[in-house]
Amino acid sequence: MLLDHLVLVLNNLTTAITRFESKGFTITPGGINGPTHNALIVFFNDTYIELIALKSPRTRLMMRSLRAAGVLALRRWLTRNLRTRLLGWMAGPQGLIDLCF
């Protein structure tokens, strides 16, 4: 089993890109997928770190409010799918959130 990529959830993608570039990393623009956008730090063996954030800070605040109210926990209990998983990611703290093999 080989590591494909790591996923980092961030509060602000633009700020994260600037910080990673200042540390010497080369950032490849990713894309937009619904309310999120991303960028990649690709390594020589095609393993990469995905930097992902919500496009709107207001949406992140709303997601955190839904998490605090228990709505996301209820959804997670009722519906187990990728969308529910992503909602949990976007409502939580920033940082390493997933490993993909």
Side-chain angles (χ1 to χ4, degrees), residues 42-57:
V42 182
F43 298 99
F44 71 94
N45 62 355
D46 292 331
T47 300
Y48 62 96
I49 299 173
E50 178 181 4
L51 309 174
I52 186 170
L54 288 167
K55 294 181 293 186
S56 166

Side-chain angles (χ1 to χ4, degrees), residues 70-91:
V71 173
L72 295 182
L74 178 61
R75 181 184 167 112
R76 190 171 52 250
W77 185 74
L78 295 172
T79 309
R80 295 205 176 265
N81 60 26
L82 182 58
R83 174 166 278 194
T84 299
R85 192 169 156 205
L86 291 173
L87 289 173
W89 288 1
M90 294 303 135

Side-chain angles (χ1 to χ4, degrees), residues 12-83:
N12 184 298
L13 185 62
T14 304
T15 301
I17 289 171
T18 301
R19 288 183 181 164
F20 276 102
E21 286 178 334
S22 75
K23 303 293 183 190
F25 290 97
T26 301
I27 308 296
T28 302
I32 296 172
N33 187 6
T36 66
H37 55 165
N38 69 356
L40 308 174
I41 301 171
V42 182
F43 298 99
F44 71 94
N45 62 355
D46 292 331
T47 300
Y48 62 96
I49 299 173
E50 178 181 4
L51 309 174
I52 186 170
L54 288 167
K55 294 181 293 186
S56 166
R58 271 192 232 160
T59 303
R60 183 136 168 93
L61 180 59
M62 182 181 71
M63 296 304 301
R64 287 185 168 181
S65 297
L66 290 173
R67 181 181 182 190
V71 173
L72 295 182
L74 178 61
R75 181 184 167 112
R76 190 171 52 250
W77 185 74
L78 295 172
T79 309
R80 295 205 176 265
N81 60 26
L82 182 58
R83 174 166 278 194

